[in-house]
Amino acid sequence: MGINTTSKQDLEDFKSYIIAEKNFSKHTAKAYCSDILSFLVWMDEESCEDITLQKIREYLHFIQKFNYKKTTLARKIASLRTFYKYLYRERKVDSNPAMSLINPKRPKSLPKFLTPDEVEQILNNTKIETPAGYRNRTILELLWATGMRISELAGLNFGDLNLENNEIRVLGKGSKERIILVTDRAKNFLERYIETARALIPKGFPAPPEEENSPVFINNTGYRLQTKTIRNAINDVVEKINLPKHVTPHVFRHSFATHLIENGADLRVVQELLGHASISNTQIYTHVSTQHLKEVYNEAHPRA
């Protein structure tokens, strides 16, 4: 078993494309490339540029025996579709053989979210006595106040900040820029972090200057902060306060959107703030809000 040399180079080029041009997160890029690598290994020495739709269907039939979840199968199909769309764009194939693949129906599940009290509980139990702790609290305040993705937050540079107008420019999926708004509370944390804590975080290393292309959030060696550090910080707090929920940075994003909808925000405004390409992606939060309303009704009404 091996991988065709041409296919191997195509995969390397594809990886560069989805990271540099499509602005995929490292997590998504890794998953897509892993999916394609598995496909190339299955094809053995056959070139990916000679593959037909029938061959791809044979591969999908082959992986059925692994009993993947429908969400995983949907991602693998999306990986193949994106890979061959790239090859078609580069004129390495005459057509996209994966274009007509149909995703399996995903089970409908509402996004998990935190109540405002639960968010405050997490924020107030994030230690701020150390420079790194103050940085983490600032990040959580921003996630709660803006609904930005953790990858967008980690990628912030000083040139993206317009704190005088309570605005931050972020680079979202597909390299799409948008402006998000910041509350005064989150802005105050960010300003104090920049003025005091940031320079103290690196241990024995100089903090990068506050220049346009310098990262806002840094680690203890002075380099751009990785998202894993934030996930670990959240996990530590949630474990300490025994919160019976699985909390991730994306749960903060869900919570932000849900509470905006619950408090009467226009759906189009929420779509713009979240950076959703389609409003159908935003509409799920109206269902979350309705479900929450039903739960409160059933708990509070004497005849419910």
Side-chain angles (χ1 to χ4, degrees):
M1 295 288 287
I3 299 178
N4 179 277
T5 303
T6 301
S7 298
K8 188 181 297 185
Q9 185 60 53
D10 284 338
L11 177 56
E12 287 298 317
D13 295 340
F14 173 69
K15 180 180 180 181
S16 300
Y17 164 72
I18 59 177
I19 292 176
E21 293 191 39
K22 300 296 289 182
N23 198 35
F24 279 26
S25 69
K26 289 183 178 179
H27 175 77
T28 303
K30 182 178 179 180
Y32 271 47
C33 290
S34 177
D35 291 339
I36 300 304
L37 179 61
S38 298
F39 175 61
L40 298 182
V41 169
W42 176 79
M43 290 194 308
D44 199 4
E45 288 293 336
E46 191 170 357
S47 171
C48 63
E49 297 179 9
D50 299 326
I51 293 301
T52 62
L53 173 60
Q54 180 58 36
K55 193 71 175 181
I56 293 178
R57 283 176 172 163
E58 288 177 17
Y59 170 71
L60 294 177
H61 178 74
F62 165 74
I63 64 175
Q64 291 290 335
K65 66 180 181 180
F66 297 109
N67 296 319
Y68 289 119
K69 293 180 180 178
K70 288 185 178 180
T71 51
T72 303
L73 282 174
R75 191 203 65 221
K76 289 181 177 295
I77 291 173
S79 300
L80 286 166
R81 192 182 292 118
T82 305
F83 179 60
Y84 275 100
K85 184 178 180 180
Y86 161 75
L87 293 181
Y88 179 66
R89 192 195 80 153
E90 296 297 310
R91 299 183 179 179
K92 294 186 176 183
V93 295
D94 295 330
S95 62
N96 181 349
M99 183 181 297
S100 60
L101 294 178
I102 300 175
N103 284 341
K105 289 186 177 180
R106 301 189 188 190
K108 292 184 178 180
S109 59
L110 298 177
K112 307 298 182 184
F113 68 96
L114 300 166
T115 67
D117 287 342
E118 288 171 335
V119 174
E120 291 299 328
Q121 194 178 359
I122 292 174
L123 295 175
N124 293 333
N125 281 279
T126 303
K127 294 182 179 179
I128 60 174
E129 291 79 10
T130 65
Y134 197 89
R135 174 203 63 201
N136 294 345
R137 172 65 183 271
T138 301
I139 287 173
L140 296 184
E141 290 281 351
L142 281 172
L143 290 177
W144 170 230
T146 67
M148 73 173 84
R149 301 176 179 91
I150 186 63
S151 57
E152 294 170 345
L153 188 143
L156 288 180
N157 295 327
F158 278 94
D160 300 319
L161 305 182
N162 182 5
L163 297 184
E164 183 177 343
N165 293 323
N166 288 62
E167 295 178 351
I168 295 178
R169 180 184 62 202
V170 297
L171 189 65
K173 289 185 176 180
S175 298
K176 294 180 180 178
E177 286 188 0
R178 72 182 188 280
I179 300 297
I180 57 175
L181 307 178
V182 185
T183 62
D184 286 336
R185 172 171 137 172
K187 181 180 78 169
N188 290 337
F189 267 96
L190 181 55
E191 288 177 335
R192 288 199 296 270
Y193 157 75
I194 293 172
E195 293 168 1
T196 60
R198 183 176 181 272
L200 301 175
I201 290 175
K203 305 298 182 182
F205 299 90
E210 297 176 16
E211 297 176 348
E212 185 170 335
N213 293 320
S214 296
V216 174
F217 295 106
I218 57 176
N219 59 25
N220 59 9
T221 59
Y223 288 97
R224 187 180 299 278
L225 189 68
Q226 300 299 303
T227 58
K228 183 179 179 180
T229 302
I230 306 306
R231 298 180 193 278
N232 291 339
I234 293 175
N235 290 339
D236 290 343
V237 177
V238 170
E239 185 176 336
K240 181 175 68 175
I241 63 179
N242 294 317
L243 191 66
K245 289 184 177 180
H246 178 59
V247 183
T248 66
H250 220 69
V251 170
F252 275 78
R253 179 172 165 85
H254 292 324
S255 305
F256 165 82
T258 301
H259 297 309
L260 284 181
I261 296 293
E262 286 184 345
N263 286 285
D266 182 84
L267 201 60
R268 291 288 182 185
V269 173
V270 179
Q271 177 191 4
E272 185 68 24
L273 291 173
L274 292 175
H276 284 164
S278 170
I279 198 162
S280 62
N281 295 328
T282 315
Q283 285 174 329
I284 191 170
Y285 294 108
T286 63
H287 301 311
V288 173
S289 182
T290 303
Q291 180 66 25
H292 178 62
L293 186 64
K294 289 178 179 178
E295 291 172 358
V296 172
Y297 172 80
N298 289 332
E299 290 177 4
H301 197 284
R303 296 296 181 97

